[in-house]
Amino acid sequence: MKGDTLRADFLVLGSGIAGLRAALGLARHGRVLVVTKDQPTESNTGYAQGGVAVALGPDDDAGLHLQDTLAAGAGLVSEAAARVLVEEGPERIRELASWGTRFDREEGRFHFTREGAHSRNRVLHALGDATGWEMVRSLLERARVTENVSVRSFACSSDLVLDAGRVVGCRFLEEDGSETTVLGRATLLATGGAGQVFAETTNPPVATGDGVAMALRAGAVLLDMEFVQFHPTALAVAGAPRFLVSEAVRGEGAHLRNGAGERFTEELAPRDQVARAIFRENGAGRGPVTLDLRHLDPERVRSRFPRIHATCLRYGVDVSRDPVPVTPAAHYVMGGVATDLHGRTTLPGLYAAGEAAGTGVHGANRLASNSLLEGLVFGARAAEAMVADGPEARVGPDVPPASGTPQAAAGRRQEIQRRAWDGLGLERDAGGLRGLIAFLEEVRRTAPSPPADREAAEERNLADVAWSMAVSALFREESRGGHFRGDFPRADDRFLGHTLLEGGRPRLGDVGAPVPERAPC
Ligand SMILES: Cc1cc2nc3c(=O)[nH]c(=O)nc-3n(C[C@H](O)[C@H](O)[C@H](O)COP(=O)(O)OP(=O)(O)OC[C@H]3O[C@@H](n4cnc5c(N)ncnc54)[C@H](O)[C@@H]3O)c2cc1C
């Protein structure tokens, strides 16, 4: 069903930290429409607990934060992007505090905690363990009172609109299944992560990688899609969602124990190492692995982690008194739509920021709590580029509706998720990846297109994103960071570069300058 065509100067897809920060930056320069597919608060950002890494502590500086970011990224961090992150991060955080985000303080000063692979107490948090929720709350409140910004909820973007190679807007599906087209001079993908590709994930249902899938179908280059971070400790209670038990819990001294009650890994080692150690304990039948906080002061546990305490209690686990059963789960996608340092993708008119973007800032493995900061810093930068590139850009033409009869979902979501967990999870090999790619190619051939509703759009996107991950993972015949190949268990410096997926084919790009030139207009 064809609906309206709307016009805005700037179109922002997604209301997480990257989209909202960008929208606030754009508001002084034109009308901004933020389109989001659920309630505006529903996003990975809204679930972020531990905090945001920022070099603002008395014994810290941007150089130390940079060193830790480079070390976690296993040789693949784009240093220029990481410098931008750590150097601009403090200003973005002070700005957010001045806009009303209630970061936790002790004696009036910001309070910082430690997380894995950080050399300093650098992780700033809010309302104990509800940091992301508080950040979104304050950004949304500011957006509501900012002239020129409007937020349209429960509208799921389905495909980008192109005119002569330039992105001029986006189609989206309303809740009643009608299609609306929004045209604008610049479009930002801030659609977040893709944890829902996997059967086990900490991500909420909205995280289906829609922006990455739309960009892939439109011909944009993707970067490093094989690098997925599996969080070591999601709550493993049958029938319960894989609720994240933050790394900050281990930062406060919790221990990991196997079924025999033994500690078996260094709790604050990089996430991929801890996640695989747990996966192996479980696989070897020495599980189930538990997180043990019983030696910590129960009052402190309850006050420091109120949300974790309350949520686990709902599923029958009192974290201050019971060992907490945990499992690894897909958590964060390091790769995304390839962008330069200003959010520009390889398609004119199209920008990306936050988890949907691939700047190379995380390399092969993200340093804990660097992603909220990424959303703020690169959301602000993308907004600046959208304004700077804008004046000569045309607002798009009238466009016909998507061709073809809208199709319902084929009901393959769970099959995609299960097969991706098996073939593309913590340990991969060529046989499993080839089987998965063959399956996904068949799913993609018959995917609902154009999709009739959000469910159909997400099913198609999950297949596209899983395919891009599997093809990139098959290409990288080594193990590095979040990508572990059982058949190539060691790092191999012949692969010391970013994976660029271009025209459906992977190739190796430069570590330092990952993003290829834009396609000509
Ligand atoms: C449980 C959990 C805990 C975390 N803890 C931390 C932490 O402590 N520190 C840290 O730094 N990082 C943490 N992360 C990661 C971090 O939250 C995310 O990487 C970051 O918030 C991503 O922000 P974003 O703005 O890019 O995307 P998101 O916050 O995911 O926002 C994406 C937005 O796009 C919308 N959207 C998606 N598809 C469409 C579509 N087709 N049409 C319209 N709208 C769409 C979504 O509804 C959502 O509003 C955590 C993640 C999870 C899941």
Side-chain angles (χ1 to χ4, degrees):
M1 200 188 345
K2 167 123 169 82
D4 303 333
T5 297
L6 308 175
R7 284 168 192 271
D9 292 302
F10 304 107
L11 176 57
V12 174
L13 307 182
S15 59
I17 194 162
L20 291 174
R21 179 57 189 81
L24 292 172
L26 290 165
R28 275 182 297 126
H29 305 276
R31 286 166 308 144
V32 187
L33 181 63
V34 180
V35 176
T36 192
K37 74 176 168 183
D38 208 286
Q39 319 232 35
T41 47
E42 192 61 13
S43 58
N44 277 358
T45 305
Y47 289 85
Q49 303 170 349
V52 53
V54 60
L56 276 173
D59 62 345
D60 203 1
D61 62 46
L64 292 169
H65 191 181
L66 177 66
Q67 268 173 31
D68 293 345
T69 302
L70 293 172
L76 280 198
V77 172
S78 152
E79 190 168 335
R83 263 187 206 287
V84 165
L85 180 80
V86 300
E87 287 173 3
E88 296 182 12
E91 193 187 331
R92 293 280 83 84
I93 291 293
R94 283 197 208 97
E95 178 183 72
L96 206 59
S98 77
W99 290 349
T101 306
R102 298 164 294 174
F103 290 115
D104 294 332
R105 294 174 186 261
E106 263 180 19
E107 294 170 3
R109 296 215 174 115
F110 285 150
H111 179 260
F112 298 95
T113 192
R114 178 82 62 106
E115 287 191 344
H118 284 277
S119 60
R120 292 289 184 278
N121 284 13
R122 178 181 293 140
V123 179
L124 185 59
H125 43 96
L127 311 187
D129 55 3
T131 310
W133 184 90
E134 170 61 7
M135 287 169 128
V136 164
R137 181 204 62 77
S138 56
L139 285 167
L140 270 174
E141 253 168 46
R142 195 170 174 91
R144 276 191 193 114
V145 297
T146 300
E147 213 181 317
N148 265 347
V149 179
S150 36
V151 179
R152 196 169 174 123
S153 312
F154 297 102
C156 179
S157 53
S158 52
D159 272 304
L160 297 167
V161 177
L162 283 107
D163 178 39
R166 180 183 184 90
V167 173
V168 294
C170 191
R171 298 180 202 283
F172 60 90
L173 295 157
E174 307 282 1
E175 258 187 312
D176 65 2
S178 64
E179 181 193 287
T180 301
T181 302
V182 185
L183 301 173
R185 70 187 215 207
T187 299
L188 176 69
L189 298 172
T191 44
Q196 287 291 328
V197 161
F198 299 91
E200 303 283 357
T201 181
T202 62
N203 289 191
V206 291
T208 46
D210 297 359
V212 173
M214 288 190 291
L216 174 71
R217 290 194 295 270
V221 174
L222 305 186
L223 178 112
D224 288 345
M225 286 304 293
E226 68 275 37
F227 291 109
V228 176
Q229 185 171 81
F230 294 91
H231 198 286
T233 53
L235 180 68
V237 171
R242 294 290 173 253
F243 174 74
L244 180 83
V245 184
S246 164
E247 186 154 327
V249 172
R250 279 172 281 137
E252 294 284 333
H255 295 155
L256 282 166
R257 298 188 187 280
N258 62 17
E262 297 153 352
R263 289 176 68 187
F264 57 92
T265 185
E266 195 193 317
E267 279 83 3
L268 292 179
R271 281 188 180 168
D272 60 301
Q273 288 172 31
V274 181
R276 272 198 303 281
I278 297 175
F279 183 74
R280 287 180 181 152
E281 284 294 319
N282 286 336
R286 291 189 296 264
V289 169
T290 55
L291 193 58
D292 190 354
L293 291 77
R294 290 173 297 176
H295 54 289
L296 305 178
D297 173 15
E299 199 41 56
R300 163 93 183 142
V301 168
R302 284 191 288 268
S303 64
R304 175 71 181 81
F305 303 111
R307 197 174 177 193
I308 294 174
H309 181 255
T311 306
C312 290
L313 212 51
R314 276 216 301 279
Y315 300 107
V317 180
D318 180 342
V319 296
S320 65
R321 292 206 310 220
D322 306 321
V324 186
V326 288
T327 177
H331 185 54
Y332 180 85
V333 181
M334 267 74 76
V337 184
T339 72
D340 68 8
L341 297 179
H342 306 274
R344 297 183 181 99
T345 73
T346 52
L347 295 180
L350 185 66
Y351 301 76
E355 196 168 338
T359 55
V361 71
H362 305 297
N365 207 0
R366 175 187 67 126
L367 183 66
S369 288
N370 264 359
S371 43
L372 289 172
L373 196 66
E374 171 193 26
L376 278 181
V377 167
F378 289 99
R381 283 190 149 232
E384 284 167 13
M386 289 164 79
V387 171
D389 297 350
E392 77 283 7
R394 289 155 293 154
V395 173
D398 283 331
V399 284
S403 58
T405 310
Q407 291 175 23
R412 305 192 80 168
R413 183 176 179 131
Q414 283 178 3
E415 192 185 0
I416 296 168
Q417 292 170 323
R418 215 178 39 252
R419 294 193 61 157
W421 180 249
D422 291 343
L424 192 58
L426 280 98
E427 296 197 0
R428 303 148 174 193
D429 61 35
L433 289 168
R434 285 207 180 94
L436 179 63
I437 291 168
F439 161 73
L440 291 169
E441 284 178 348
E442 187 265 315
V443 175
R444 293 179 83 209
R445 262 196 306 278
T446 54
S449 181
D453 54 20
R454 171 173 158 184
E455 195 188 338
E458 289 181 346
E459 188 177 290
R460 177 173 65 148
N461 292 338
L462 287 173
D464 285 343
V465 175
W467 176 85
S468 72
M469 288 174 170
V471 167
S472 305
L474 183 63
F475 171 71
R476 186 171 288 278
E477 294 181 334
E478 65 155 358
S479 293
R480 187 183 294 275
H483 170 70
F484 185 84
R485 288 276 302 253
D487 46 356
F488 296 98
R490 270 173 284 284
D492 178 344
D493 282 354
R494 284 178 305 162
F495 286 94
L496 202 53
H498 296 280
T499 306
L500 297 174
L501 192 61
E502 195 170 3
R505 286 177 191 283
R507 69 175 173 84
L508 208 62
D510 208 298
V511 181
V515 184
E517 288 296 303
R518 267 191 164 178
C521 241

